[in-house]
Amino acid sequence: MMKKKVIRIAIIIIALILMIPIPLSYKDGGTVKFRAVLYSITNYHALGEADGYDTGIEIKILGITIYENMTFDSK
C-alpha cells in the first residue's frame, strides 16, 4: 500500500516538473516565450520592417503548433 502511494507522489511531481514554464525574453522589441517540456507559448511583440510591430501569440504542444495569430500593427 505504501509503495503505491510513493509511486503516485512521484508521478505527480514529474508531471508538475514537465508543466512548469521558463520565461525567455528576446531582444527584438518585447517577444516573450514561456517554454516547458510539454508545451510552449510565445507572445510576439517584435519590431517590424517598417514603422510598427509584429504582434501575436503562438501555442505549441509537444512541438506541434496548435494556434498561431500574427498581425502587423503600424504606428
Side-chain angles (χ1 to χ4, degrees):
M1 192 65 151
M2 185 68 163
K3 187 175 181 180
K4 287 184 181 181
K5 187 175 182 179
V6 171
I7 291 173
R8 287 181 184 165
I9 292 172
I11 290 172
I12 290 171
I13 291 172
I14 290 171
L16 288 174
I17 289 172
L18 293 176
M19 294 180 66
I20 295 174
I22 298 170
L24 303 168
S25 297
Y26 293 95
K27 295 181 180 180
D28 63 351
T31 300
V32 179
K33 183 174 198 173
F34 298 94
R35 189 169 183 185
V37 176
L38 297 178
Y39 67 93
S40 70
I41 299 172
T42 307
N43 185 8
Y44 293 105
H45 191 72
L47 289 171
E49 296 173 3
D51 294 334
Y53 287 93
D54 293 330
T55 60
I57 295 175
E58 180 181 36
I59 299 173
K60 290 184 178 184
I61 296 178
L62 297 174
I64 300 169
T65 303
I66 61 166
Y67 181 75
E68 185 174 12
N69 178 15
M70 291 290 293
T71 59
F72 178 75
D73 297 329
S74 61
K75 290 183 179 179

